[in-house]
Amino acid sequence: MRALVAAAGIALAAAAPARVTEAQARDLVARLERAWNAGDVAGWAALHAPGARFTDQTITPKGETVAYGTSTLPQARTQAERFFSKSKVRESGQVERVEIAPDGRSARVTVRKLSRITTAGRERLSCAVSVQTLALDGGRLVSRGRTDTLYRCRR
């Protein structure tokens, strides 16, 4: 029995990625964006670690950062379901930087995002810089959450 358990552990270790790569980080960010744009809240949430945290803040015209608050994954999921019940969104992000941690087990990804949000037939734009932390969790790359810093979109 011990040999079977040891063999299973070795097989799992071999299947699990040992280090996060830039390509994996970019792929996860793209999958998160696709799920969000599809309004697939369950699919979007499944790409996060259970303890993920989401912080929203804005930059004022004077350049000051003002925090709106931080949500847990269950809170963010509820807010997203409420949002998608009334609005449609088309988000496009441009990855600006991927920083792999020295131990290779996590990465920090900076994405510049433009969102087109349509509610009751009216469209508005939202611009943000999103800094997301990704980490290996049980052999799978997930998001541990992000901080979105909203700023005035250029016209």
Side-chain angles (χ1 to χ4, degrees):
M1 182 66 163
R2 281 175 110 173
L4 182 60
V5 170
I10 290 168
L12 283 174
R19 296 183 60 82
V20 176
T21 66
E22 183 170 336
Q24 290 169 322
R26 287 176 178 274
D27 178 65
L28 179 57
V29 169
R31 287 186 292 140
L32 285 160
E33 183 178 291
R34 280 193 304 273
W36 187 256
N37 284 338
D40 179 6
V41 177
W44 172 84
L47 296 171
H48 291 85
R53 309 283 287 181
F54 305 87
T55 301
D56 291 318
Q57 56 190 21
T58 190
I59 298 291
T60 69
K62 293 180 181 180
E64 300 165 322
T65 301
V66 178
Y68 290 141
T70 300
S71 303
T72 63
L73 180 58
Q75 290 168 329
R77 187 175 177 155
T78 298
Q79 292 164 357
E81 288 167 346
R82 191 175 316 127
F83 170 79
F84 283 116
S85 72
K86 298 177 184 175
S87 302
K88 290 185 181 184
V89 67
R90 180 70 187 149
E91 185 174 280
S92 59
Q94 177 68 41
V95 174
E96 293 187 334
R97 183 177 29 224
V98 177
E99 302 167 81
I100 308 294
D103 69 0
R105 305 281 303 154
S106 63
R108 189 173 132 125
V109 182
T110 303
V111 181
R112 188 164 299 272
K113 298 190 297 189
L114 170 66
S115 299
R116 296 182 182 280
I117 303 162
T118 305
T119 306
R122 297 187 68 187
E123 183 181 87
R124 66 183 170 93
L125 297 179
S126 174
C127 293
V129 172
S130 179
V131 179
Q132 191 152 191
T133 302
L134 311 179
L136 291 172
D137 184 10
R140 151 181 119 90
L141 188 61
V142 294
S143 172
R144 285 193 178 158
R146 67 173 189 250
T147 298
D148 286 343
T149 304
L150 286 81
Y151 62 91
R152 185 180 303 267
C153 297
R154 294 183 190 157
R155 303 265 177 214

